Amino acid sequence: MESLSQSLRRRIEQGGPITVADYMAEAAGHYYNSRDPFGAAGDFTTAPEISQMFGELVGLWCAMVWQMLGSPDRVVLAEIGPGRGTLMNDLLRAAAAVPPFLKAAEVWLVETSPRLAARQRQTLAGRDVNWCESFDQLPDGPLLLVANELFDALPVRQFEKRDGTWFERMVGCTEQGFEFVIGPQAQPDLPADVLDAPDGSVAEVCAQGRELAKQIGRRLNRQPGMALVVDYGHVRSGTGDTLQALSRHRFHAVLETPGNADLTAHVDFQSLAAAAVPARAWGPMTQGDFLRLLGIETRAAMLAQAGGEKVAAEIMGQMRRLIDADEMGTLFKALALASPTLAAPPGFVC
Ligand SMILES: C[S@@+](CC[C@H](N)C(=O)[O-])C[C@H]1O[C@@H](n2cnc3c(N)ncnc32)[C@H](O)[C@@H]1O
């Protein structure tokens, strides 16, 4: 069977260079459907895989938002991009502390990779869970949506400024392998101050992420609810080549071995919030502040006390990874998208 490298090469030889977004979409589709990439034996780890506390606190957040919605008898509790299903599993365990919420929750996982959906079925065995492949397939009703490290995996287009003009960056190929080449002149959909950047600047646009934020915003304007987006990225739109590949927890060349390394780019939270209007955006705030406000220090102390010295050291180490400024605490951010009439979500201030 033809490898992804071979089919990409054939595509480029027949039709010319492809956009960085097309390359990333092909690579990500293959990547997530050919392995379980998480944890020490995989390529990268995520907050729910680092500690149960992450999913538990998100569960608490969801229970509080459900109360803000008036404790409806039925709420669509959905996660998009659920990985191994670990976050949802921890969330549901913590939600057991609020039995009417757990009873009201109709759980949905939005996943494009059949392989990871099978992994989620294992993690969540015995629970009543539904799957679908896209956000617009979720059933109607009050909505609680969680997306952790989904948006960074969605394809970005890249643009380069040369002699005062923006051009699309494309992926071509030579005998030796894939390479970045300069493509047609372009007008990236970015704020004027970003477009004014000096020559040599690189800018990124994640059209798929914006489209998803737009769909979420429309839905939250029609039906009550909130979405919690946690990811790594920048508060304001800016310039910079942030596309990166990780393999076995190490940086890897972006165009080497397509589909065999995790490709991500920083999330532009400003553009997501703008795309989600008329939903109201709260934050983004840093993951460290968000988890502290939700009580991670208290939860860690409880878990540490319940175990021995070794467990306590592990729990404290996990907490530091999630909240310390030089770990995930500052680079990762939490953004809430909410129905416009709702008050501030738990953990968020005006
Ligand atoms: C980096 S993983 C994050 C996993 C999980 N949220 C976590 O924190 O461990 C990205 C997840 O999003 C899924 N995914 C990628 N593109 C998607 C899309 N367009 N819609 C839904 N899921 C998607 C992947 O298959 C994978 O489950």
Side-chain angles (χ1 to χ4, degrees):
M1 208 179 88
E2 199 179 43
S3 71
L4 181 63
S5 282
Q6 286 167 330
S7 72
L8 279 171
R9 175 173 283 282
R10 195 168 38 80
R11 181 172 165 187
I12 293 169
E13 281 167 356
Q14 283 170 1
I18 58 174
T19 65
V20 172
D22 282 347
Y23 175 87
M24 205 174 160
E26 293 269 6
H30 176 86
Y31 180 74
Y32 282 112
N33 210 22
S34 58
R35 73 206 65 217
D36 174 351
F38 305 94
D43 293 324
F44 62 92
T45 194
T46 58
E49 300 299 332
I50 290 170
S51 171
Q52 66 182 76
M53 294 183 284
F54 187 82
E56 289 171 350
L57 292 170
V58 172
L60 185 68
W61 187 89
C62 287
M64 289 188 284
V65 175
W66 171 74
Q67 284 166 344
M68 284 177 68
L69 297 177
S71 307
D73 289 344
R74 172 181 167 270
V75 66
V76 176
L77 172 61
E79 184 184 355
I80 179 160
R84 282 177 164 173
T86 308
L87 192 165
M88 184 55 82
N89 201 34
D90 293 336
L91 184 164
L92 293 172
R93 198 182 54 253
V98 188
F101 167 56
L102 200 54
K103 188 159 174 267
E106 184 180 307
V107 180
W108 283 83
L109 296 182
V110 185
E111 176 59 75
T112 46
S113 155
R115 183 163 182 146
L116 284 175
R119 183 67 176 81
Q120 293 149 21
R121 281 194 173 84
Q122 277 175 13
T123 307
L124 291 154
R127 294 206 182 264
D128 193 3
V129 179
N130 306 277
W131 275 265
C132 63
E133 287 177 6
S134 65
F135 174 77
D136 59 7
Q137 291 170 349
L138 287 173
D140 282 344
L143 175 71
L144 291 169
L145 178 73
V146 176
N148 184 62
E149 288 207 51
L150 165 75
F151 283 89
D152 68 4
L154 300 181
V156 291
R157 288 172 70 183
Q158 286 196 321
F159 303 92
E160 252 183 80
K161 197 169 189 184
R162 292 189 179 185
D163 299 327
T165 303
W166 286 97
F167 295 89
E168 179 134 19
R169 187 184 262 189
M170 314 284 286
V171 177
C173 60
T174 65
E175 300 254 302
Q176 280 70 45
F178 298 100
E179 63 171 6
F180 288 113
V181 293
I182 207 71
Q185 202 173 319
Q187 200 44 262
D189 181 10
L190 285 162
D193 59 320
V194 180
L195 294 177
D196 274 349
D199 279 353
S201 300
V202 173
E204 293 169 341
V205 171
C206 181
Q208 201 178 322
R210 290 183 187 189
E211 176 55 32
L212 177 58
K214 187 171 158 188
Q215 287 180 22
I216 295 171
R218 284 198 185 143
R219 159 108 186 212
L220 294 175
N221 193 40
R222 277 198 327 268
Q223 296 175 347
M226 281 196 197
L228 178 66
V229 175
V230 184
D231 225 309
Y232 85 113
H234 39 270
V235 173
R236 301 200 63 77
S237 302
T239 53
D241 177 357
T242 74
L243 186 58
Q244 68 174 41
L246 271 185
S247 175
R248 308 271 157 209
H249 302 266
R250 286 173 183 219
F251 290 111
H252 191 78
V254 168
L255 299 184
E256 217 177 274
T257 61
N260 288 311
D262 176 48
L263 279 187
T264 58
H266 280 218
V267 172
D268 171 358
F269 284 97
Q270 181 181 346
S271 77
L272 288 192
V277 171
R280 177 162 180 190
W282 297 85
M285 64 192 296
T286 67
Q287 174 171 296
D289 284 346
F290 179 65
L291 294 177
R292 263 188 223 101
L293 279 160
L294 289 182
I296 193 168
E297 284 149 330
T298 310
R299 180 67 184 137
M302 277 169 65
L303 289 171
Q305 216 172 25
E309 221 172 275
K310 187 161 169 268
V311 172
E314 266 170 29
I315 298 288
M316 291 305 163
Q318 291 169 2
M319 181 181 77
R320 283 196 294 276
R321 271 191 83 181
L322 295 181
I323 66 173
D324 277 7
D326 56 353
E327 298 269 359
M328 297 172 79
T330 303
L331 180 59
F332 281 74
K333 305 193 173 62
L335 169 77
L337 301 173
S339 296
T341 53
L342 292 174
F348 289 82
V349 277
C350 286

